[in-house]
Coordinates of all heavy atoms in Angstrom, one line a residue:
Chain X
I122 N 55.5 58.7 -89.1 CA 55.3 59.8 -90.2 C 55.4 59.1 -91.5 O 56.5 58.6 -91.9 CB 56.4 60.8 -90.0 CG1 56.5 61.3 -88.6 CG2 56.2 62.0 -90.9 CD1 57.9 61.6 -88.1
L123 N 54.4 59.1 -92.2 CA 54.4 58.4 -93.5 C 54.6 59.5 -94.6 O 53.7 60.4 -94.8 CB 53.0 57.7 -93.8 CG 52.8 57.2 -95.2 CD1 53.8 56.1 -95.6 CD2 51.4 56.6 -95.3
M124 N 55.7 59.4 -95.3 CA 56.0 60.4 -96.3 C 55.3 60.0 -97.6 O 55.3 58.8 -98.0 CB 57.5 60.5 -96.6 CG 58.3 60.9 -95.4 SD 57.8 62.6 -94.8 CE 59.1 63.6 -95.4
A125 N 54.7 60.9 -98.3 CA 54.0 60.6 -99.5 C 54.5 61.5 -100.6 O 54.0 62.6 -100.8 CB 52.5 60.8 -99.4
P126 N 55.5 61.0 -101.4 CA 56.0 61.8 -102.5 C 55.0 62.1 -103.5 O 54.3 61.1 -104.0 CB 57.2 61.0 -103.0 CG 57.4 59.9 -102.0 CD 56.2 59.7 -101.3
E127 N 54.8 63.3 -103.9 CA 53.7 63.6 -104.9 C 53.9 62.8 -106.2 O 55.0 62.7 -106.7 CB 53.7 65.1 -105.2 CG 52.7 65.4 -106.2 CD 52.2 66.9 -106.1 OE1 52.6 67.6 -105.2 OE2 51.4 67.3 -107.0
G128 N 52.8 62.3 -106.7 CA 52.8 61.6 -108.0 C 53.6 60.3 -108.0 O 53.8 59.8 -109.1
L129 N 54.0 59.8 -106.9 CA 54.7 58.5 -106.9 C 53.8 57.4 -107.5 O 52.7 57.2 -106.9 CB 55.2 58.1 -105.5 CG 55.9 56.8 -105.3 CD1 57.1 56.6 -106.2 CD2 56.3 56.5 -103.9
K130 N 54.3 56.8 -108.5 CA 53.4 55.8 -109.2 C 53.1 54.6 -108.4 O 54.0 54.1 -107.7 CB 54.1 55.4 -110.5 CG 53.3 54.6 -111.5 CD 53.9 54.4 -112.8 CE 52.9 53.8 -113.7 NZ 53.4 53.5 -115.1
D131 N 51.9 54.1 -108.5 CA 51.5 52.9 -107.8 C 51.7 52.9 -106.3 O 52.0 51.9 -105.7 CB 52.2 51.6 -108.5 CG 51.7 51.5 -109.9 OD1 50.6 51.8 -110.2 OD2 52.6 51.0 -110.7
F132 N 51.6 54.1 -105.7 CA 51.7 54.2 -104.3 C 50.4 54.9 -103.8 O 50.0 56.0 -104.3 CB 52.9 54.9 -103.9 CG 53.0 55.1 -102.4 CD1 53.3 54.1 -101.6 CD2 52.8 56.4 -101.8 CE1 53.4 54.2 -100.2 CE2 52.9 56.6 -100.4 CZ 53.2 55.5 -99.6
F133 N 49.7 54.3 -102.8 CA 48.4 54.9 -102.4 C 48.5 55.3 -100.9 O 48.2 54.5 -100.0 CB 47.3 53.9 -102.6 CG 47.4 53.3 -104.0 CD1 47.7 52.0 -104.2 CD2 47.1 54.1 -105.1 CE1 47.8 51.5 -105.5 CE2 47.1 53.6 -106.4 CZ 47.5 52.3 -106.6
P134 N 48.9 56.5 -100.7 CA 49.2 57.0 -99.3 C 48.1 56.7 -98.3 O 48.3 56.2 -97.2 CB 49.4 58.5 -99.4 CG 49.6 58.7 -100.9 CD 49.0 57.6 -101.6
E135 N 46.8 56.9 -98.7 CA 45.7 56.7 -97.7 C 45.6 55.3 -97.3 O 45.3 55.0 -96.2 CB 44.4 57.3 -98.2 CG 44.3 58.8 -98.3 CD 44.9 59.4 -99.5 OE1 45.4 58.6 -100.3 OE2 45.0 60.6 -99.6
V136 N 45.7 54.4 -98.3 CA 45.6 53.0 -98.0 C 46.7 52.6 -97.1 O 46.5 51.9 -96.1 CB 45.7 52.2 -99.3 CG1 45.6 50.6 -99.0 CG2 44.5 52.5 -100.2
V137 N 48.0 53.0 -97.4 CA 49.1 52.6 -96.6 C 48.9 53.2 -95.1 O 49.1 52.5 -94.1 CB 50.4 53.1 -97.2 CG1 51.6 52.9 -96.3 CG2 50.6 52.5 -98.5
K138 N 48.4 54.4 -95.1 CA 48.2 55.0 -93.8 C 47.2 54.2 -92.9 O 47.5 53.9 -91.8 CB 47.7 56.4 -93.9 CG 47.4 57.1 -92.6 CD 46.9 58.5 -92.9 CE 46.6 59.2 -91.5 NZ 45.4 59.9 -91.4
T139 N 46.1 53.8 -93.5 CA 45.1 53.0 -92.8 C 45.6 51.7 -92.4 O 45.4 51.2 -91.3 CB 43.9 52.8 -93.7 OG1 43.4 54.1 -94.2 CG2 42.7 52.2 -92.9
N140 N 46.4 51.1 -93.3 CA 46.9 49.7 -93.0 C 47.9 49.8 -91.8 O 48.0 49.0 -91.0 CB 47.5 49.1 -94.2 CG 46.5 48.5 -95.1 OD1 45.4 48.2 -94.6 ND2 46.8 48.3 -96.4
L141 N 48.8 50.9 -91.8 CA 49.8 51.1 -90.8 C 49.0 51.3 -89.4 O 49.3 50.7 -88.4 CB 50.7 52.3 -91.0 CG 51.7 52.1 -92.1 CD1 52.5 53.4 -92.4 CD2 52.7 51.0 -91.7
Q142 N 48.0 52.1 -89.5 CA 47.2 52.4 -88.3 C 46.6 51.1 -87.7 O 46.6 50.9 -86.5 CB 46.1 53.4 -88.6 CG 45.5 54.1 -87.4 CD 46.5 54.9 -86.6 OE1 46.8 56.0 -87.0 NE2 47.0 54.4 -85.5
K143 N 46.1 50.3 -88.6 CA 45.5 49.0 -88.1 C 46.5 48.1 -87.5 O 46.2 47.5 -86.5 CB 44.9 48.3 -89.3 CG 43.5 48.7 -89.6 CD 42.8 47.8 -90.6 CE 41.6 48.5 -91.2 NZ 41.2 47.9 -92.5
Q144 N 47.7 48.1 -88.0 CA 48.7 47.1 -87.5 C 49.5 47.7 -86.3 O 50.0 46.9 -85.6 CB 49.7 46.8 -88.6 CG 49.0 46.0 -89.8 CD 50.0 46.0 -91.0 OE1 50.6 44.9 -91.2 NE2 50.1 47.0 -91.7
F145 N 49.5 49.0 -86.2 CA 50.2 49.6 -85.1 C 49.3 50.6 -84.3 O 49.4 51.8 -84.4 CB 51.5 50.4 -85.6 CG 52.4 49.5 -86.3 CD1 52.4 49.5 -87.7 CD2 53.2 48.6 -85.6 CE1 53.3 48.7 -88.4 CE2 54.1 47.8 -86.3 CZ 54.1 47.8 -87.7
P146 N 48.3 50.0 -83.7 CA 47.3 50.8 -83.0 C 47.9 51.7 -82.0 O 47.3 52.8 -81.6 CB 46.3 49.8 -82.4 CG 47.0 48.5 -82.4 CD 48.1 48.5 -83.4
G147 N 49.1 51.4 -81.4 CA 49.6 52.2 -80.4 C 50.3 53.5 -80.9 O 50.8 54.3 -80.2
A148 N 50.4 53.6 -82.2 CA 51.1 54.8 -82.8 C 50.1 55.7 -83.6 O 49.1 55.2 -84.1 CB 52.2 54.3 -83.8
A149 N 50.4 57.0 -83.5 CA 49.6 57.9 -84.4 C 50.2 58.0 -85.7 O 51.5 58.2 -85.8 CB 49.5 59.3 -83.7
V150 N 49.5 57.7 -86.8 CA 50.1 57.7 -88.1 C 49.8 59.1 -88.8 O 48.6 59.5 -88.8 CB 49.6 56.6 -89.0 CG1 50.3 56.6 -90.4 CG2 49.8 55.2 -88.3
R151 N 50.8 59.7 -89.2 CA 50.6 61.0 -89.8 C 51.1 61.0 -91.3 O 52.2 60.5 -91.5 CB 51.4 62.1 -89.0 CG 51.2 63.5 -89.4 CD 51.5 64.4 -88.3 NE 52.9 64.4 -87.9 CZ 53.9 65.0 -88.5 NH1 53.6 65.8 -89.5 NH2 55.1 64.9 -88.0
L152 N 50.3 61.5 -92.1 CA 50.7 61.5 -93.5 C 51.3 62.9 -93.9 O 50.7 63.9 -93.6 CB 49.4 61.3 -94.4 CG 49.6 61.1 -95.9 CD1 50.3 59.7 -96.0 CD2 48.2 61.0 -96.5
Q153 N 52.5 62.8 -94.4 CA 53.1 64.1 -94.8 C 53.5 64.1 -96.3 O 54.3 63.3 -96.8 CB 54.4 64.3 -94.0 CG 55.0 65.6 -94.4 CD 55.9 66.1 -93.3 OE1 55.7 65.8 -92.1 NE2 56.9 66.9 -93.6
R154 N 52.8 65.0 -97.0 CA 53.0 65.0 -98.5 C 54.3 65.7 -98.7 O 54.8 66.6 -97.9 CB 51.9 65.8 -99.1 CG 50.5 65.3 -98.7 CD 49.6 65.1 -99.8 NE 48.4 64.4 -99.3 CZ 48.0 63.2 -99.7 NH1 48.6 62.6 -100.7 NH2 46.9 62.7 -99.2
L155 N 54.9 65.3 -99.8 CA 56.3 65.8 -100.1 C 56.4 66.1 -101.6 O 55.9 65.3 -102.4 CB 57.2 64.6 -99.7 CG 58.6 64.4 -100.0 CD1 59.1 63.2 -99.2 CD2 58.9 64.2 -101.4
R156 N 56.9 67.3 -101.8 CA 56.9 67.7 -103.2 C 58.3 68.1 -103.6 O 58.9 68.9 -102.9 CB 55.9 68.9 -103.4 CG 55.6 69.2 -104.8 CD 54.7 70.4 -104.9 NE 54.6 70.6 -106.4 CZ 53.5 70.6 -107.1 NH1 52.4 70.3 -106.5 NH2 53.5 70.7 -108.4
V157 N 58.7 67.7 -104.7 CA 60.1 67.9 -105.1 C 60.1 68.8 -106.4 O 59.4 68.4 -107.4 CB 60.9 66.6 -105.4 CG1 62.3 66.9 -105.9 CG2 60.9 65.8 -104.1
E158 N 60.8 69.8 -106.4 CA 60.8 70.8 -107.5 C 61.2 70.0 -108.9 O 60.6 70.3 -109.9 CB 61.8 71.9 -107.3 CG 61.6 73.0 -108.2 CD 61.8 74.4 -107.5 OE1 61.6 74.4 -106.2 OE2 62.2 75.3 -108.1
E159 N 62.1 69.1 -108.7 CA 62.6 68.4 -109.9 C 61.5 67.8 -110.7 O 61.6 67.7 -111.9 CB 63.4 67.2 -109.3 CG 64.1 66.3 -110.3 CD 65.4 66.9 -110.9 OE1 65.8 67.9 -110.4 OE2 65.9 66.3 -111.8
F160 N 60.4 67.4 -110.1 CA 59.3 66.8 -110.9 C 58.1 67.6 -111.2 O 57.0 67.1 -111.5 CB 58.9 65.5 -110.1 CG 60.0 64.5 -110.0 CD1 60.5 64.1 -108.7 CD2 60.5 63.9 -111.1 CE1 61.5 63.2 -108.6 CE2 61.6 63.0 -111.0 CZ 62.1 62.6 -109.7
T161 N 58.3 69.0 -111.0 CA 57.1 69.9 -111.2 C 56.5 69.7 -112.6 O 55.3 69.6 -112.7 CB 57.6 71.3 -111.1 OG1 58.3 71.5 -109.9 CG2 56.5 72.3 -111.2
N162 N 57.3 69.5 -113.6 CA 56.8 69.3 -115.0 C 56.0 68.0 -115.1 O 55.0 67.9 -115.8 CB 57.9 69.3 -116.0 CG 58.4 70.7 -116.2 OD1 57.7 71.7 -116.0 ND2 59.6 70.9 -116.7
W163 N 56.5 67.0 -114.4 CA 55.7 65.7 -114.4 C 54.4 65.9 -113.8 O 53.4 65.5 -114.3 CB 56.5 64.7 -113.6 CG 57.8 64.2 -114.1 CD1 58.9 65.0 -114.3 CD2 58.2 62.9 -114.4 NE1 60.0 64.2 -114.7 CE2 59.6 62.9 -114.8 CE3 57.5 61.7 -114.4 CZ2 60.3 61.8 -115.2 CZ3 58.2 60.5 -114.8 CH2 59.6 60.6 -115.2
H164 N 54.3 66.6 -112.7 CA 53.1 66.8 -112.0 C 52.1 67.6 -112.8 O 50.9 67.4 -112.8 CB 53.3 67.5 -110.6 CG 54.2 66.8 -109.7 ND1 54.4 65.4 -109.7 CD2 55.1 67.2 -108.8 CE1 55.3 65.0 -108.9 NE2 55.7 66.1 -108.2
R165 N 52.7 68.6 -113.5 CA 51.8 69.6 -114.2 C 51.0 68.8 -115.3 O 49.9 69.1 -115.6 CB 52.6 70.7 -114.8 CG 51.8 71.9 -115.1 CD 52.5 73.1 -115.5 NE 53.5 72.8 -116.5 CZ 54.8 73.3 -116.5 NH1 55.1 74.1 -115.6 NH2 55.6 73.0 -117.5
V166 N 51.7 67.9 -116.0 CA 51.0 67.1 -117.0 C 50.4 65.9 -116.5 O 49.8 65.1 -117.3 CB 51.9 66.8 -118.2 CG1 52.4 68.1 -118.9 CG2 53.1 66.0 -117.8
G167 N 50.4 65.7 -115.2 CA 49.8 64.5 -114.6 C 50.5 63.2 -114.9 O 49.9 62.2 -114.9
K168 N 51.8 63.3 -115.1 CA 52.5 62.0 -115.4 C 53.0 61.5 -114.0 O 53.8 62.1 -113.3 CB 53.7 62.3 -116.3 CG 54.3 61.1 -116.9 CD 55.3 61.5 -117.9 CE 56.2 60.3 -118.1 NZ 57.1 60.3 -119.2
P169 N 52.7 60.2 -113.7 CA 53.2 59.6 -112.5 C 54.7 59.4 -112.5 O 55.2 59.1 -113.6 CB 52.4 58.3 -112.4 CG 52.0 58.0 -113.7 CD 51.9 59.3 -114.5
V170 N 55.3 59.5 -111.4 CA 56.8 59.3 -111.4 C 57.0 57.9 -110.8 O 56.7 57.6 -109.7 CB 57.4 60.3 -110.4 CG1 59.0 60.2 -110.5 CG2 57.0 61.7 -110.8
P171 N 57.6 57.0 -111.6 CA 57.9 55.6 -111.1 C 58.9 55.7 -110.0 O 59.7 56.6 -109.9 CB 58.6 55.0 -112.4 CG 58.2 55.8 -113.5 CD 58.0 57.2 -113.0
A172 N 58.8 54.7 -109.1 CA 59.6 54.6 -107.9 C 61.1 54.6 -108.3 O 61.9 55.2 -107.6 CB 59.3 53.3 -107.1
T173 N 61.5 53.9 -109.4 CA 62.9 53.9 -109.8 C 63.4 55.3 -110.2 O 64.5 55.6 -110.0 CB 63.1 52.9 -111.0 OG1 62.0 53.1 -111.9 CG2 63.0 51.5 -110.5
V174 N 62.5 56.1 -110.7 CA 62.9 57.5 -111.1 C 63.1 58.4 -109.9 O 64.0 59.1 -109.7 CB 61.9 58.1 -112.1 CG1 62.2 59.5 -112.4 CG2 61.8 57.3 -113.4

Side-chain angles (χ1 to χ4, degrees):
Chain X
I122 310 147
L123 172 62
M124 301 298 261
E127 177 156 356
L129 175 60
K130 191 171 185 182
D131 294 328
F132 178 73
F133 311 110
E135 286 81 4
V136 176
V137 174
K138 179 178 176 225
T139 308
N140 281 338
L141 287 174
Q142 194 65 76
K143 273 188 196 160
Q144 296 168 100
F145 302 101
V150 183
R151 185 155 64 81
L152 191 63
Q153 182 159 332
R154 310 227 172 238
L155 166 172
R156 196 181 173 118
V157 177
E158 197 141 331
E159 181 81 7
F160 298 115
T161 305
N162 285 337
W163 294 60
H164 305 330
R165 202 171 50 221
V166 296
K168 192 173 165 175
V170 185
T173 43
V174 175

